[in-house]
Amino acid sequence: MDNSERWNRTIRDFLQHIKLERNLASNSVEAYQRDINGFAHFVLHQYDVAPTKVEQHMVERYMAHLYDLNKKRT
């Protein structure tokens, strides 16, 4: 199984959990899905690692990336 498939499975399982177990509203689930998909896309293209291999510096770099995107839009 490649890292993309691992991300897809992990995201699917998480979304199912927050929908069924946590009973979150569909708008909340959709927002989580957009955010997680964006992060997964970034990690896969920058590092190509599985969800279990994400490290703090990767999250920090993604946050900086979001900051830069937001800065360009304003």
Side-chain angles (χ1 to χ4, degrees):
M1 175 183 309
D2 72 359
N3 288 327
S4 182
E5 292 172 3
R6 287 181 180 94
W7 275 99
N8 288 335
R9 183 176 56 185
T10 300
I11 291 169
R12 183 193 67 234
D13 291 349
F14 175 72
L15 294 173
Q16 183 177 4
H17 169 74
I18 63 173
K19 184 178 180 181
L20 300 176
E21 305 283 331
R22 306 290 294 174
N23 200 29
L24 292 187
S26 60
N27 286 344
S28 296
V29 173
E30 290 171 12
Y32 272 106
Q33 185 173 13
R34 278 191 305 274
D35 292 344
I36 296 169
N37 283 338
F39 180 66
H41 178 80
F42 178 85
V43 169
L44 283 168
H45 284 84
Q46 294 294 318
Y47 304 101
D48 192 25
V49 297
T52 57
K53 300 297 183 185
V54 171
E55 297 177 1
Q56 181 175 340
H57 72 92
M58 297 173 190
V59 176
E60 291 169 351
R61 184 153 179 217
Y62 180 66
M63 297 301 290
H65 169 73
L66 291 178
Y67 177 80
D68 290 343
L69 283 178
N70 189 45
K71 203 171 162 182
K72 290 178 184 177
R73 290 181 185 154
T74 57

